[in-house]
Amino acid sequence: MSLLKQFKLEAADKPKAIQPFAQRRQKFIAAVDKQLAGVPDDGASTITSTWAWKSNEGDWFISPRYGRTPLELSPGLNAIKCADVQDVAKNLQKLKALADEGKLDDVLMAAATTIRSRFGK
């Protein structure tokens, strides 16, 4: 049995090092996946996500983080307001898609720079 018939074979080498922006994206996407695991599918009002919380007025908020650093999504703004639990899940999926497309690279780089600046002190 020939392997050429079983698989699409190519001569390719794995890169020796991953680019920093790709590493930040992967780390953030893994964190979003972890938060999505804490959001129930059945519409229950209990979330075990550390990024999401419910205010006293009944609004839901997501404060995405890179490590322990909250992401500044827009100048002075670091939380996403959501209508309900399903909206929390939808917005987490949007964050994941934006990160995958590279649209959060600047935000993630700013957070990584903030984290790195604390190590020199």
Side-chain angles (χ1 to χ4, degrees):
M1 188 181 308
S2 174
L3 288 177
L4 287 173
K5 293 180 182 177
Q6 298 291 324
F7 302 103
K8 182 178 178 182
L9 300 178
E10 297 234 357
D13 292 330
K14 183 178 176 182
K16 302 279 187 256
I18 189 168
Q19 296 293 329
F21 68 88
Q23 196 171 22
R24 284 190 291 270
R25 280 184 203 167
Q26 288 176 351
K27 182 178 179 180
F28 182 72
I29 289 171
V32 172
D33 284 336
K34 187 176 179 181
Q35 298 304 313
L36 278 168
V39 178
D41 293 334
D42 59 2
S45 62
T46 342
I47 291 183
T48 57
S49 167
T50 56
W51 290 2
W53 75 93
K54 189 174 185 179
S55 70
N56 293 337
E57 290 81 32
D59 296 321
W60 285 91
F61 291 92
I62 302 170
S63 180
R65 298 173 176 275
Y66 183 76
R68 292 185 179 185
T69 304
L71 295 180
E72 189 171 9
L73 303 169
S74 191
L77 304 173
N78 65 343
I80 301 168
K81 187 175 181 179
C82 304
D84 54 18
V85 175
Q86 288 82 17
D87 200 28
V88 169
K90 247 188 273 180
N91 284 312
L92 285 171
Q93 289 290 353
K94 284 181 193 176
L95 279 172
K96 184 177 173 180
L98 288 172
D100 193 39
E101 295 168 5
K103 294 184 179 173
L104 293 179
D105 285 350
D106 293 339
V107 174
L108 295 174
M109 185 153 114
T113 303
T114 301
I115 292 169
R116 258 187 267 116
S117 71
R118 292 185 212 143
F119 285 111
K121 294 180 180 181

